[in-house]
Structures are given as structure tokens and as C-alpha cells.
Amino acid sequence: MTTLLETDGLTRRFGGLDAVSDVSVTVEQNSVVGFIGPNGAGKTTFINVVTGFLKPSAGRVVFDGNDVTGNRPWDVARAGVSRTFQIAKPFRDLTVRENVALGSMFGPGNSRSVAASLTDADEVLERVGLSERAEARPGELPIADTKRLELAKALAMKPRLLLLDEVMAGLRPAEIDNSIDLIRSLQKDGLTIVVIEHVMKAILAVSDKVIVLHEGKRLAEGPPKEIASDDRVIEAYLGERYAKRVKEGGDA
Ligand SMILES: Nc1ncnc2c1ncn2[C@@H]1O[C@H](COP(=O)(O)OP(=O)(O)OP(=O)(O)O)[C@@H](O)[C@H]1O
Ligand SMILES: [Mg+2]
């Protein structure tokens, strides 16, 4: 298997706090890697450092064999990495369709005309199930559609690596199932995907491997089934109630 993304000793400090602390991980080409960990574990900071929104305090980020450590966000994006934001930041005065078209314009093949970008946007909106809201303003969307818009913007950049920061938070079970199907179908199309999520069921369903962050550090890594029954993980993250249910064979 080829490694698409690799971090080596990646660290990000805020004052005296190591939000990301000596994290070395690999993401294999065309795999789905789930990141879990309690609130404040460093998941979003990890994405921010990988994508150039924050400079690392130490360590390296290698994408597709190239050292991209400390590169600017737009350079990382142009190399083929796109991400969603946990707190969505759409352009409020543009329509949903126009917001997505901007993603297409700024992707790797960014000599796209406005017309071509709008066509791309229509395709992506269809794929994420947001076509009916194409002419709405982002502020009019319910939470589930706001999440879809984030995903659509990232997809419109035609990335090779997609980093999803809690795109299922606040979704209903049926909507989570749709997201799971979508992630699987994107993987089938050749994408490599990092999924940060608190929704355990979804992480276990889509991930080829799961990485657990705890207080900035990589606490554990392994296949979903192993991680779900790892005592350290259960203690750090899932809590005793979950552990009890897993041991009793129930659905977490
Ligand atoms: N810009 C910042 N300045 C100072 N501290 C920060 C900053 N960004 C994050 N932190 C701190 O770094 C730690 C990790 O935060 P981060 O947002 O990466 O966690 P997370 O795993 O994404 O949590 P959540 O599940 O709540 O989204 C937290 O203690 C947070 O308060
Ligand atoms: Mg976060």
C-alpha cells in the first residue's frame, strides 16, 4: 500500500499546552482513516496543521512524497488536500450553488471558467443531496444541509485527500446512514479520506483503521473492531457505560 499522507512527530503548542503532541501517523492511499478522541484531544488542530491553517511547532507533514510542512493553506489545497470546517464558514451573501462553485474555481485545476465551475457545483450538489437548496443562502439551511454544504465545497475542489471534521455532528440516524454511504462511494471513486467524528457507529462503519487521540497524543491505532474493544480507548474516550454495553454485546 502507498502512503498518501504521513506526519512525523507533529506537534502544535498553544502557550504551555501541547494541543497536538508528537503525532506520527500514516494515511494509505484510497483508505478511510477515522480519528476519534474526547473534546479537546487535538483532532481539529491536527487538521489545521496538516492543511497549513496553523504552523506546526515541530514535526513534518508529507503529502504524496512531498514535504508540505508549514506550507500555506492554498498551496496545500492546490496539491490536492481539502477539508471541511467544524464551524462552517460559507459566504453568506452567495447562494449555496455559488459557494460550491468557488470550491471548484480554487481546486487544483483552477483555470475553470465561472460556467464550468457552476456545472461542477451542480454535480457535487446532486451527489451530496443538496440540489434542491442550490439557490438558497447558507444562513437559511438547517444543520444537516450546512454540513452537506461544507462537504460539497470541499469535494468541488476535486481533492485526492479529503479531511472531514465532524460532518455528521447533529445529524439524524437516517442522515448519518446517508453520509456513511457517501463516504464509501467516494472511497470507491479513489479518494483517500480522514474522518473525524464522535459518532462511533459511523467511524466503525467507514474506517479501514482508527486512530485515537488523547490529550494531543496518539493513544492507539488499529482496525475498528480492535479499537472499539481496547481498554485504554474505552477508558479515555468511550466511558464506562459504553464499555459495559460493548461487553454485554449490545449496540453502542
Ligand atoms: N487557537 C487556539 N489557541 C489556543 N488554544 C487552542 C486553539 N485551538 C485549540 N486550542 C486548544 O487545543 C486543544 C485541542 O483543541 P481541538 O479543537 O484541536 O480539539 P478537538 O479534538 O477538535 O475537540 P472537539 O472534539 O471538541 O472538536 C484544546 O485544549 C483547545 O482548547
Ligand atoms: Mg474539533
Side-chain angles (χ1 to χ4, degrees):
M1 277 198 286
T2 326
T3 298
L4 185 61
L5 175 75
E6 180 173 4
T7 68
D8 181 18
L10 200 62
T11 299
R12 171 66 202 208
R13 284 183 205 103
F14 294 112
L17 172 79
D18 283 7
V20 172
S21 180
D22 195 23
V23 172
S24 300
V25 295
T26 59
V27 175
E28 313 310 325
Q29 182 114 36
N30 201 207
S31 69
V32 176
V33 176
F35 272 74
I36 61 173
N39 295 116
K43 305 180 297 294
T44 297
T45 304
F46 177 81
I47 288 198
N48 283 337
V49 175
V50 164
T51 51
F53 285 84
L54 285 173
K55 301 265 182 215
S57 309
R60 288 198 320 146
V61 180
V62 178
F63 176 69
D64 196 24
N66 299 311
D67 192 328
V68 297
T69 315
N71 286 11
R72 296 290 187 176
W74 45 90
D75 290 326
V76 179
R78 204 156 292 163
V81 182
S82 73
R83 54 89 54 94
T84 64
F85 288 89
Q86 188 171 356
I87 298 161
K89 301 170 183 169
F91 291 98
R92 305 253 150 218
D93 296 333
L94 299 181
T95 64
V96 164
R97 185 176 185 237
E98 289 162 345
N99 265 284
V100 177
L102 277 182
S104 164
M105 277 180 227
F106 290 106
N110 66 342
S111 52
R112 310 283 287 160
S113 68
V114 173
S117 295
L118 285 168
T119 306
D120 286 348
D122 291 336
E123 267 171 37
V124 174
L125 287 172
E126 179 76 43
R127 183 138 200 201
V128 304
L130 201 52
S131 296
E132 282 171 22
R133 308 309 313 269
E135 298 306 324
R137 306 279 157 184
E140 304 165 29
L141 300 178
I143 172 96
D145 287 346
T146 305
K147 297 285 181 182
R148 286 194 184 98
L149 173 56
E150 272 300 296
L151 184 55
K153 282 163 55 189
L155 273 181
M157 297 177 78
K158 298 196 173 68
R160 294 174 60 200
L161 173 65
L162 180 62
L163 305 161
L164 304 177
D165 196 354
E166 296 200 24
V167 291
M168 300 182 208
L171 301 195
R172 288 192 293 263
E175 295 166 335
I176 288 174
D177 288 342
N178 286 339
S179 303
I180 290 171
D181 290 344
L182 179 60
I183 288 169
R184 286 188 175 140
S185 98
L186 293 170
Q187 182 183 26
K188 241 179 223 145
D189 287 356
L191 247 82
T192 306
I193 308 170
V194 166
V195 182
I196 291 181
E197 210 58 67
H198 285 292
V199 182
M200 259 331 254
K201 178 191 155 204
I203 283 283
L204 298 180
V206 297
S207 304
D208 297 304
K209 79 172 171 188
V210 177
I211 294 170
V212 185
L213 292 184
H214 182 54
E215 295 175 352
K217 297 193 184 64
R218 199 196 63 165
L219 177 74
E221 174 175 334
K225 279 219 176 85
E226 249 170 54
I227 289 298
S229 56
D230 184 313
D231 286 340
R232 288 170 307 160
V233 176
I234 291 166
E235 202 172 306
Y237 181 46
L238 301 172
E240 280 171 25
R241 268 170 50 208
Y242 177 93
K244 202 159 162 256
R245 268 185 282 171
V246 168
K247 285 194 177 135
E248 286 165 359
D251 188 9

